[in-house]
Amino acid sequence: MTHAIDRIRPLDAAAQEHVHALYRHLHAHPELSMQEHATADFIAAELDALGVENFRCGGTGVVGILRNGEGPVVAFRADTDGLPIAEDTGLDYASTATGTLADGTEVPVMHGCGHDTHVAALLAAARMLDASRDGWAGTIVLLFQPGEETAAGARAMVDDGLWDRAPRPEAVLGQHVMPLRAGTIAISSGTAMAMADALRVTVRGKQSHGSQPQHAIDPIVLASSIVTRLQTIVSRELDPMDPAVVTVGTFHAGLKENIIPDRAEFTLNIRTLTPPVREQVLAAVERIVKAEAAAAAAPEPTIEKLYDFPENYNDPAAAARVTTALEHAIGAENVNATGPLMGSEDFGHLGSAIGVPTVYWMFGGFDRDEDVPMNHSPFFGPVPEPTLTTAARAAVAGVLAWVGSDDEEATA
Amino acid sequence: MTHAIDRIRPLDAAAQEHVHALYRHLHAHPELSMQEHATADFIAAELDALGVENFRCGGTGVVGILRNGEGPVVAFRADTDGLPIAEDTGLDYASTATGTLADGTEVPVMHGCGHDTHVAALLAAARMLDASRDGWAGTIVLLFQPGEETAAGARAMVDDGLWDRAPRPEAVLGQHVMPLRAGTIAISSGTAMAMADALRVTVRGKQSHGSQPQHAIDPIVLASSIVTRLQTIVSRELDPMDPAVVTVGTFHAGLKENIIPDRAEFTLNIRTLTPPVREQVLAAVERIVKAEAAAAAAPEPTIEKLYDFPENYNDPAAAARVTTALEHAIGAENVNATGPLMGSEDFGHLGSAIGVPTVYWMFGGFDRDEDVPMNHSPFFGPVPEPTLTTAARAAVAGVLAWVGSDDEEATA
Amino acid sequence: MTHAIDRIRPLDAAAQEHVHALYRHLHAHPELSMQEHATADFIAAELDALGVENFRCGGTGVVGILRNGEGPVVAFRADTDGLPIAEDTGLDYASTATGTLADGTEVPVMHGCGHDTHVAALLAAARMLDASRDGWAGTIVLLFQPGEETAAGARAMVDDGLWDRAPRPEAVLGQHVMPLRAGTIAISSGTAMAMADALRVTVRGKQSHGSQPQHAIDPIVLASSIVTRLQTIVSRELDPMDPAVVTVGTFHAGLKENIIPDRAEFTLNIRTLTPPVREQVLAAVERIVKAEAAAAAAPEPTIEKLYDFPENYNDPAAAARVTTALEHAIGAENVNATGPLMGSEDFGHLGSAIGVPTVYWMFGGFDRDEDVPMNHSPFFGPVPEPTLTTAARAAVAGVLAWVGSDDEEATA
Amino acid sequence: MTHAIDRIRPLDAAAQEHVHALYRHLHAHPELSMQEHATADFIAAELDALGVENFRCGGTGVVGILRNGEGPVVAFRADTDGLPIAEDTGLDYASTATGTLADGTEVPVMHGCGHDTHVAALLAAARMLDASRDGWAGTIVLLFQPGEETAAGARAMVDDGLWDRAPRPEAVLGQHVMPLRAGTIAISSGTAMAMADALRVTVRGKQSHGSQPQHAIDPIVLASSIVTRLQTIVSRELDPMDPAVVTVGTFHAGLKENIIPDRAEFTLNIRTLTPPVREQVLAAVERIVKAEAAAAAAPEPTIEKLYDFPENYNDPAAAARVTTALEHAIGAENVNATGPLMGSEDFGHLGSAIGVPTVYWMFGGFDRDEDVPMNHSPFFGPVPEPTLTTAARAAVAGVLAWVGSDDEEATA
């Protein structure tokens, strides 16, 4: 039997070197979320060079449309943004780029989450699919999405009319490089990644001189009580079978050791796997924050939402279809089932916004299993091969599960 | 100049031995609060023997009235109850008595707070004053009050018509043995002892199996949070110059390690020196208890008052009068000014109930200054002398500040 | 195709009524853990009546051996003990029994965990298997195990030479009634139930009068800090994907509100699913308990182990074998896959002690899905049917997965 | 009888207006601690104008020496620095000055603690004493001390050879404006103000992504636990009669809500009244910080001392001498006894460094008793009169207690 993937010719040496050059360029020139201007230009130039119709969407997003006659439509997404991290990989193509945060601070920027591999792999996949148009039929929408790290990009593209401007797909696919062995893939059925909610809490106390607590309402003691009490949400309120994380990632209060300040501010990052647990945790956070303020005789604190990452749910039927295709493409022994990850992604929104299934998987990027730097580490430097070839082949196999066909007679 | 005290003849050897025998008997036969039946009989028999008019008041209280013609009225109080402690002093007159608590438990009883010295000293003072009627004029009301340890006795006597049945005094005096050197006295001007409030808090959660916190509201975690948070009342809400204590003395919850129980119960003992601070602390306790329950999504806890000890305030003018008298009686070098103690007493109610000033002082009971057992210790065993002679002389001097007179010509 | 179960004849009406009478008798006469004397006699009498060889083991345990020629050996376990709960089901065969706890307290006893259904179902299964000896070959070891609730019984039987005295099985099977719909079964592959560890912690402070915290080390504040801090083990130290529970089920300290006591005692119930997580949690508990005592300048607390429940792990191959058999026996639509439960069991020890796989499943006991009382509730009253028939049939199907055989030709 | 103060002539109208002009200039031109260059020049120019010998000491400190023949030596100190506060008094001479913090930040500066009144009053006193040299004999050392707010100035002057370069006094006096009624003074015998210790604590955890607490040691949860636990020092470890404050004035950790940071930093301000309590509190802070880190399995935190304010103890004999002089100078009804304040001062070091007694008092600066802004408030604006006249007269009276004399015959 011939599998759809067998009809797609691999890249020749020159094309492969071109992809590697692309990758090294991307790695060396990361840009902060929603500021991926040069990256967008770079991607568009490559699509232009391939003759793939493309347009900007959601600011620094790029949409390429690879049309190949009648047939299903499927979309594949690569995210494009870097992170405010000073790269310390020692690679000769390491980033020395800088960027400017919203508050005006200039910071080093790094592809510390490996989105450069996503872009390079999708461009390589486009090149392969373009070069083997006889092997498939339909339309492939290439989504180069900005601002994944800030949960802004998927919404920005959808809000910018993505699915009015591009053909509506039957499914949206995506993938992410992970600290797994290069050449392998991990895919789940059902929840792929956690939802994330970020909140900012401002507790207000009453300022006084440090020697006069009787005239103060101490916001540091109050916020510390809240942090301590928030631990009970995961430890006592949730079903132990429902994984969840409530992290207080920042806590800032006070300017001088001898002044009890008038406020404290902290931010929360909350991870949950299902909407009911998400609602339960958010309600518990609000309940505890307010009640602890009442215990301190303090005014009701302010709770602001900073952002939220949506569900990233692998539709089981679509996931099964992709899994079969991946097993053919890279060998069943290299495709592992996995459960949900506590990390988050805004990928799901690209499908849920129009009610189509999404499938998302992880591909390895390292030549070893242990002591691998995690994503967001200054040491996160995937090995280019077999990382890129695997990821490109996985992307091709994924889309072919819609626009290709396995053919029993073909071998005849 | 002759001081009033100089007109009172000391006890002779026989009388002194009688007082010591009284003391040893009292020490060996302590009774629990409001159960001082034998003690009351014993005191009344001694008053009868002295020919001092007396009656029962407030159950096991005894009031003696020593009348000596026209003149001011002053009252002196000795408290009579023992404690549920197993004596471990090794004294040959140590207590082997037992008593029955409200719940029916039989317990050992000990004069672990030294009230036996108070009774013996007041009986000795009565004997001296009776024997030197030429040295004073007026009426001395001897108050043998039960139930000091439970804050029940002073109220019981007042509620039983004490001040309708006995002459109303110009002042009420009292004294307490302390771990100070015998032969010395300490007296404050203003607050003498702390007010005390005892509360019982019952927090209600929701029971569940220990493996299913998601179905429970955990009252142990809740009550622990309350205990932790209560610390901030003293540390952060009060003026550091306002001494206060918030003690959680008991905490009981749960029967089995694998069941999250449905409730936890704890009791509080609160000490404050002024009514405004008392109100502030009680309000803060209630606020914190309720808010922490809200933080746990638990029902509002129950807060019950167990008892309260009233102010014990030394009227400065009356205290100055007493201090002068004490300095004459036992030597100025043996009378020390002191500030308020955090211990509590229901003594103050005997005066405040009728709006007359009270004065209360401490006398030493030990032949050393260091490593002295504290009141309520199983090892609390005052040395009889000079403890009793000093206390009796102090009582005489105190009342003489009202019913005696210093006389400049007397030495002529 | 004929399935092994098809060769076992159902109970006739008289036998069924006999089983129900057995069940009602057991329900009405529960006994506390390791005191199941009458229950053991009752079981032995029934086995004797069936002509099944049996002996006592582990005190109040009973082992029946149903021999039927050459063939594999398989064991099936039913646990026999009740709980110190006052039954409130309103059933006409409700328990009015009492028992005596280790401390001498007399308490009501109830089959609040449904072990009576386990015993009745296993006796019914034995009756069926005995009556259809042509349908299977080999040996079935019937384990009526005492003391499951206290984690004592499985160890007691093993320590009493169980596997020297009874034939060694290829697998040990067991089942438990749950608040599921009667007629259904839930079974997991891999971990079936949590390990449980119970600890008693005694923290020592320093006693003082409630008004003198400066002379005390407050064990209630210390233990409350520990309880609060223990929450961080689940919330911050464990992988959110590793379910675990750290419950403080009891907390006792202090006799009187105005004495800071010299110690506090609390007990912990810890649930984990894997040995590494178990070790991590136990180490964290010890670390936190000791460090918090150090923070309080208190002596090192004592941590005593009360008991531990072992792994209850469904060997995947054996579980698959059982699942297939159950699907044939009660319909695939009534057999649900499930994950691990946070409850615990000492069942696993019966197999792990000799290195043979165990398989454990849950059967429903209620005629509805919602508002069902949980095990250990005073209202826990399973409906006899289809509960007992399903459980008996499941037990038969389970053992037949070893001593029976499916036969393709049989239908021919 | 003539009191020494009666021999000093009050300022005439022109001189008084000069002093007010001085005051308004000082108020409008505050400088940050240890940066009081213009202030020092201004003071030196005034002393030069008065013909008072002077020199710089401790950087921006100024020492004036008013010699008047044989006689005792006494010193009087005024502190000179302002605070980084934006003045909001609405006064027409309000400050619009700015200064530069150690980190380079430019900030508004205000005489928010009223040191301008101290300087103006001491210059006025010098003018009066200079103009009435017939009324006293001896030497008065005028200490214009910089950097009180940062506890740097007194040490800087002493370390710069103050008492080698200026005559050694028999006593050092000082005063501070407070939210009391202008025209009144409050003075204590014994401890005048609290010692203060400022510490910076850096707790180190282990960084990880916010969704992966299992790879982190969470320093925010740890520091929050420390803050919570520190409350027990005041609430449970100290004698309730020993006032003390443990304030956490700043708490900073984390840059991003989805990263568990690797450290948290907080600062403490500790107030105690006696050296033993100070040692007890500092030891308890260290013990708790270290133990809580151990509870979190975190490395041992770093505790750095930022500064400490020394004892400010009013030698009782010297304080009695000053009190009598003040009563003569401004009326006994305007001089109130007070206890220690929880505020702190480095004044005491000026005397303790050479073992001479110090006396320090408070003078009022407001025309009302209620709703008065506290020191360090942006609204702190004393009324010039009778504030300055009272303070100048108090300074004169204070030094005269050493260099003046009361004379019974003088009135003859």
Side-chain angles (χ1 to χ4, degrees), chain C residues 201-204 222 226 289-294 298-303:
Chain C
V201 178
T202 306
V203 301
R204 287 178 184 77
L222 167 52
I226 295 173
V289 165
K290 289 184 176 175
E292 288 292 329
E300 189 167 301
T302 309
I303 303 178

Side-chain angles (χ1 to χ4, degrees), chain C residues 213 218 229 236 240 287 292 295, chain D residues 213 218 229 236 287 292 295:
Chain C
D218 186 331
R229 197 69 187 273
R236 296 275 88 186
R287 188 188 74 233
E292 288 292 329
Chain D
D218 186 330
R229 197 68 187 275
R236 295 277 87 187
R287 190 188 72 234
E292 288 292 328

Side-chain angles (χ1 to χ4, degrees), chain A residues 134-408:
Chain A
D134 52 335
W136 61 281
T139 300
I140 301 168
V141 183
L142 308 168
L143 302 171
F144 296 92
Q145 180 210 300
E148 183 277 330
E149 297 290 349
T150 56
R155 278 195 183 87
M157 291 184 80
V158 169
D159 293 350
D160 196 22
L162 169 62
W163 297 126
D164 298 326
R165 299 161 71 187
R168 295 213 169 193
E170 294 181 17
V172 185
L173 314 181
Q175 61 183 354
H176 203 299
V177 66
M178 282 282 158
L180 307 170
R181 182 171 287 275
T184 69
I185 277 176
I187 183 166
S188 70
S189 179
T191 301
M193 298 185 86
M195 283 169 283
D197 290 88
L199 305 175
R200 179 193 293 126
V201 178
T202 306
V203 300
R204 288 179 183 77
K206 195 171 143 203
Q207 180 176 325
S208 184
H209 192 262
S211 66
Q212 298 175 325
Q214 70 272 29
H215 297 130
I217 295 173
D218 186 330
I220 292 179
V221 168
L222 166 53
S224 295
S225 294
I226 295 174
V227 170
T228 300
R229 197 68 186 276
L230 287 173
Q231 308 308 312
T232 60
I233 299 175
V234 169
S235 70
R236 296 275 89 186
E237 297 194 33
L238 297 185
D239 189 323
M241 295 299 176
D242 282 324
V245 179
V246 178
T247 286
V248 176
T250 68
F251 185 135
H252 292 284
L255 294 171
K256 208 157 161 13
E257 78 300 327
N258 69 341
I259 305 290
I260 301 171
D262 72 345
R263 69 186 55 205
E265 186 181 296
F266 59 89
T267 57
L268 287 157
N269 188 269
I270 294 163
R271 306 277 166 152
T272 53
L273 295 187
T274 71
V277 173
R278 175 177 179 264
E279 290 311 315
Q280 188 183 354
V281 171
L282 289 174
V285 167
E286 184 177 344
R287 191 189 70 234
I288 287 173
V289 166
K290 288 184 177 175
E292 288 292 330
E300 189 167 300
T302 308
I303 304 178
E304 297 161 83
K305 180 177 212 155
L306 297 178
Y307 60 78
D308 61 296
F309 281 96
E311 271 199 284
N312 185 359
Y313 182 82
N314 281 355
D315 176 79
R321 201 161 160 178
V322 168
T323 301
T324 302
L326 292 173
E327 288 173 347
H328 293 153
I330 65 164
E333 70 283 9
N334 293 318
V335 179
N336 302 302
T338 186
L341 300 185
M342 292 312 289
S344 298
E345 250 291 359
D346 67 351
F347 167 72
H349 188 64
L350 296 169
S352 63
I354 50 171
V356 307
T358 57
V359 184
Y360 189 82
W361 61 86
M362 319 297 160
F363 61 93
F366 294 85
D367 53 11
R368 59 195 191 282
D369 290 329
E370 301 200 349
D371 296 323
V372 179
M374 306 292 292
N375 302 58
H376 291 216
S377 156
F379 304 102
F380 190 79
V383 293
E385 288 302 338
T387 302
L388 292 175
T389 295
T390 306
R393 196 164 164 81
V396 168
V399 297
L400 289 176
W402 277 264
V403 298
S405 61
D406 295 345
D407 184 357
E408 302 227 1

